[in-house]
Amino acid sequence: MKSDDPLISAWEEILARKGELSAIFDTQGNTLRCFREIESRARELQEKMQDRARGEVYAIDLGNHPDWPSVLLACLRQNLVAIPLDESTTEAQRAAIVKLCRAADWGENPPVLLKLTSGTTAAPRAIRFRSAQLMADCEQICGTMGISDADLNFGVIPVSHSYGLSNLITPLLALGVPLVLSRDRLPRAVLDDLARTNATVFPGMPVFYQAFAQMECVPALPHLRLCISAGAPLSVPVAQEFRARFGQSIRSFYGSSECGGICYDREALLEKPGFVGQPMQGVTVRSLDSESATSHIEVRSPAAGDGYFPDPDEEKLGGGRFVPDDLLAASEQGYRITGRASDVINVAGKKVNPHEVEATLLECEGVREAVVFGRGSTLRNEEVAACIVAAPEVAESTLLEFCRRRLRGWQVPKRIFFLAEMPVTERGKISRRALTERFAGK
């Protein structure tokens, strides 16, 4: 009998069509699981879940392990609520998350999966999803990007994160897109494994592309046809260097845990920082402030979650609608991320958008990356500071003079700190807050 769950139904069709074919490979090109073996393992795991109550939460914290899709299938069939967790999740964080959800009364439209937001700390916050929403995100991503079961995904991004779940796990289960699973995140190993496995699609992050562009003796990638970047803004110089080196354009992908994919740079123009292109198929984006050059947006999508848990915020998320914290500028070509409302620096009452200062710094020859943030100031409330990655010959005095010629006085950084590389989280994001704390008293 056909399942009422759309993700299970899609999987059963894939299983009937591709049962004995390879579904998951290791980085040496060996088959780890065929589709039939994913199903067999899911049935084994489901037997072990028999004593769990309907609606109970089940933490999946396997990392990029070939059992991951089987565990999700078992949870779906057993009516458990899956919570993907990072490998970096501490025992205290895990205990707080499970305790929070243990006594939940899900009411109508119970979730099948909870995504933890990136801001989760001691007070966990999650987003509720049903299978139909996970399916919608998968179909929108694969339809917009032209990904099919003829492709081979390379999975080094964590599958526990929204990006990995939507670009790797659900395409495998719902559309039969096979994947390589990697746990080695060293850029040299990733590049060599991409070449060895003949992967055709690489969902990556800017940190990988930057490292690839700087490497010596790089392998050819004749089978790679689609390079995707998400999780953090992609630097235009890095994208241009990568294209010159490998003959491949990188397509920026903008999404959110709350609603999945939002925009995608189909043309890979690589002309303006923060450009993310047009809305995804099935997604509607509307600027909320038509009088301003930059604005919050409203996203409407069948992939948007049902709301936050435990404290709903219906003004922000619900009913197929989501309002991100990001500020975007619209043009005929598409949307460009210009910053976040929470990132604005208050310099003696004057507001500084850090992304505008970053764009100026990136125009200076030799600067590869720039992150601008505010530091406490007794006289001006905050002052502008920057961390950059640049060529050895670039000097702080040169950069400051460059900024003075192009920015207003209060926008010019008071200090510029040089780093060998930008620190990033497991999600590939750079934390302005962490840099602020690191350089607060320097």
Side-chain angles (χ1 to χ4, degrees):
M1 185 175 66
K2 189 173 182 178
S3 173
D4 292 333
D5 185 294
L7 189 50
I8 289 291
S9 293
W11 163 249
E12 290 173 348
E13 292 178 9
I14 293 298
L15 187 63
R17 182 163 58 87
K18 305 187 69 169
E20 307 310 319
L21 298 180
S22 295
I24 304 175
F25 298 86
D26 66 17
T27 54
Q28 300 299 312
N30 302 310
T31 299
L32 293 174
R33 299 280 192 279
C34 69
F35 287 90
R36 188 74 61 196
E37 289 168 333
I38 292 175
E39 171 70 4
S40 297
R41 182 63 176 147
R43 295 293 183 180
E44 290 176 13
L45 292 166
Q46 188 180 351
E47 284 295 316
K48 297 178 181 180
M49 297 175 180
Q50 292 295 327
D51 293 336
R52 292 180 177 268
R54 184 187 183 97
E56 184 179 338
V57 299
Y58 190 97
I60 308 179
D61 54 356
L62 301 175
N64 283 17
H65 190 282
D67 272 352
W68 216 105
S70 298
V71 177
L72 179 58
L73 286 170
C75 287
L76 290 172
R77 289 195 174 116
Q78 202 59 29
N79 295 303
L80 301 178
V81 181
I83 304 181
L85 297 182
D86 298 346
E87 287 185 287
S88 59
T89 303
T90 67
E91 284 300 319
Q93 289 171 328
R94 177 188 173 117
I97 292 162
V98 173
K99 180 180 179 181
L100 173 75
C101 302
R102 184 175 291 136
D105 178 6
W106 300 118
E108 294 184 8
N109 296 323
V112 301
L113 183 135
L114 298 177
K115 293 183 188 177
L116 296 178
T117 61
S118 58
T120 296
T121 57
R125 193 185 199 197
I127 310 150
R128 301 169 48 135
F129 287 92
R130 292 172 283 117
S131 285
Q133 293 153 335
L134 300 179
M135 278 287 297
D137 193 27
C138 168
E139 291 169 350
Q140 289 168 184
I141 286 171
C142 291
T144 302
M145 299 181 183
I147 298 171
S148 74
D149 62 357
D151 282 304
L152 177 59
N153 259 323
F154 190 92
V156 67
I157 56 175
V159 298
S160 59
H161 297 169
S162 183
Y163 184 19
L165 178 68
S166 298
N167 280 67
L168 299 169
I169 297 298
T170 49
L172 171 75
L173 296 177
L175 301 178
V177 183
L179 67 104
V180 175
L181 271 182
S182 170
R183 289 188 167 193
D184 192 341
R185 302 185 75 202
L186 291 175
R188 168 56 71 178
V190 172
L191 186 60
D192 289 343
D193 293 341
L194 268 172
R196 182 186 303 111
T197 57
N198 293 330
T200 62
V201 179
F202 178 55
M205 299 180 292
V207 63
F208 288 122
Y209 295 114
Q210 178 180 340
F212 295 164
Q214 294 176 333
M215 287 179 185
E216 301 293 336
C217 304
V218 297
L221 301 171
H223 296 274
L224 186 63
R225 67 167 193 84
L226 180 58
C227 295
I228 307 159
S229 180
L234 176 66
S235 161
V236 171
V238 167
Q240 291 172 338
E241 289 175 21
F242 181 86
R243 182 162 62 186
R245 196 81 185 278
F246 293 93
Q248 287 277 351
S249 293
I250 304 171
R251 287 166 170 79
S252 289
F253 172 43
Y254 169 49
S256 172
S257 297
E258 283 85 348
C259 66
I262 299 173
C263 290
Y264 179 64
D265 183 5
R266 295 161 174 81
E267 304 300 324
L269 298 175
L270 308 180
E271 293 175 352
K272 293 182 179 180
F275 184 74
V276 291
Q278 297 283 353
M280 308 281 289
Q281 292 181 13
V283 176
T284 301
V285 175
R286 179 175 69 91
S287 297
L288 294 180
D289 184 1
S290 59
E291 301 298 321
S292 175
T294 64
S295 168
H296 283 102
I297 60 170
E298 177 191 77
V299 180
R300 289 199 172 271
S301 170
D306 283 329
Y308 292 109
F309 175 84
D311 299 315
D313 183 352
E314 295 180 1
E315 290 297 314
K316 190 174 181 65
L317 175 66
R321 172 183 180 272
F322 174 56
V323 178
D325 291 332
D326 301 304
L327 300 173
L328 282 82
S331 69
E332 291 184 2
Q333 290 74 36
Y335 285 88
R336 182 170 63 89
I337 300 173
T338 59
R340 291 172 66 86
S342 58
D343 291 336
V344 171
I345 304 166
N346 184 353
V347 180
K350 295 182 172 66
K351 301 299 189 287
V352 177
N353 184 335
H355 290 261
E356 185 176 349
V357 184
E358 288 167 0
T360 299
L361 287 166
L362 288 169
E363 290 176 3
C364 186
E365 186 175 356
V367 176
R368 301 183 58 82
E369 288 187 276
V371 176
V372 172
F373 51 93
R375 301 197 308 167
S377 169
T378 55
L379 296 178
R380 306 196 301 172
N381 187 45
E382 287 186 292
E383 65 181 26
V384 180
C387 287
I388 69 163
V389 176
E393 65 273 13
V394 177
E396 182 179 14
S397 58
T398 303
L399 288 174
L400 292 175
E401 181 58 32
F402 186 86
C403 288
R404 290 187 189 106
R405 295 198 302 267
R406 290 163 174 78
L407 297 170
R408 296 179 179 181
W410 66 84
Q411 296 175 303
V412 177
K414 289 295 181 181
R415 284 295 311 275
I416 296 178
F417 303 98
F418 291 78
L419 303 178
E421 60 181 17
M422 289 291 178
V424 297
T425 67
E426 189 180 30
R427 297 172 184 263
K429 296 178 181 290
I430 298 170
S431 171
R432 293 181 200 277
R433 183 182 303 171
L435 290 174
T436 301
E437 293 172 355
R438 177 176 171 182
F439 293 99
K442 296 186 178 181

